[in-house]
Amino acid sequence: MAAHHAQTSAAHWTPLRIAAAAVGAVFLVVGVLGFIPGITTNYDSMEWAGHSSDAQLLGLFNVSILHNIVHLVFGVAGLLASRTALASRAFLLGGGLIYLVLWLYGLVIDQHSDANFVPVNTADNWLHFALGVGMVAVGAALGWSGSRSVTGSPRPSIQ
């Protein structure tokens, strides 16, 4: 029975599960790109964490080793969550809320202080806002329709 359940679960990719996998994959790519000189400018000045890391992904978004690792962890979490609709929805809603909190944090801290340990800049802040709103919106919108597979066939329950 467990093998049948696993087989059924993997065979029915709902839009919700696809969204979680896609978001996870994007986070993984961004995490890897943050470690590639050239794609990350000022790569030689990248630090473990903190506002003194001058490395910037695509010359725009402040990154540090910690920041890149967080992207990689979110990526793995998204891919793992995409195994079930329930976990996908939790990843999108929870991850989105985390990014909205990070956006607020970035707005209230002094970007040149030790409180900016991630590090973030204005571009990061607004990207975090967009990610947060987007993830929550997708998780909420598709969460209600998560019981249909991409072929439109009904599923017995949210998995």
Side-chain angles (χ1 to χ4, degrees):
M1 181 73 170
H4 178 264
H5 174 72
Q7 185 180 33
T8 302
S9 177
H12 294 287
W13 280 92
T14 64
L16 180 64
R17 291 178 59 205
I18 292 168
V23 170
V26 169
F27 274 114
L28 273 178
V29 168
V30 168
V32 169
L33 291 177
F35 288 113
I36 299 177
I39 294 173
T40 298
T41 58
N42 303 319
Y43 185 83
D44 56 338
S45 69
M46 186 183 303
E47 296 195 12
W48 166 250
H51 66 89
S52 59
S53 182
D54 290 327
Q56 292 189 319
L57 180 62
L58 304 173
L60 189 60
F61 304 102
N62 281 2
V63 291
S64 64
I65 295 169
L66 174 63
H67 202 151
N68 291 333
I69 290 171
V70 168
H71 290 147
L72 293 170
V73 168
F74 256 81
V76 170
L79 292 178
L80 290 174
S82 73
R83 296 173 65 187
T84 69
L86 188 60
S88 294
R89 185 167 192 250
F91 167 74
L92 291 167
L93 293 176
L97 290 174
I98 289 169
Y99 271 91
L100 288 172
V101 167
L102 186 56
W103 166 67
L104 288 172
Y105 179 76
L107 292 179
V108 299
I109 62 164
D110 176 357
Q111 292 181 0
H112 302 290
S113 73
D114 288 339
N116 190 10
F117 67 93
V118 174
V120 294
N121 62 11
T122 302
D124 285 303
N125 288 339
W126 293 106
L127 179 61
H128 293 155
F129 173 76
L131 281 169
V133 168
M135 289 173 73
V136 167
V138 169
L142 294 180
W144 301 114
S145 63
S147 61
R148 293 215 168 265
S149 70
V150 291
T151 62
S153 59
R155 295 204 17 201
S157 66
I158 197 162
Q159 297 180 349

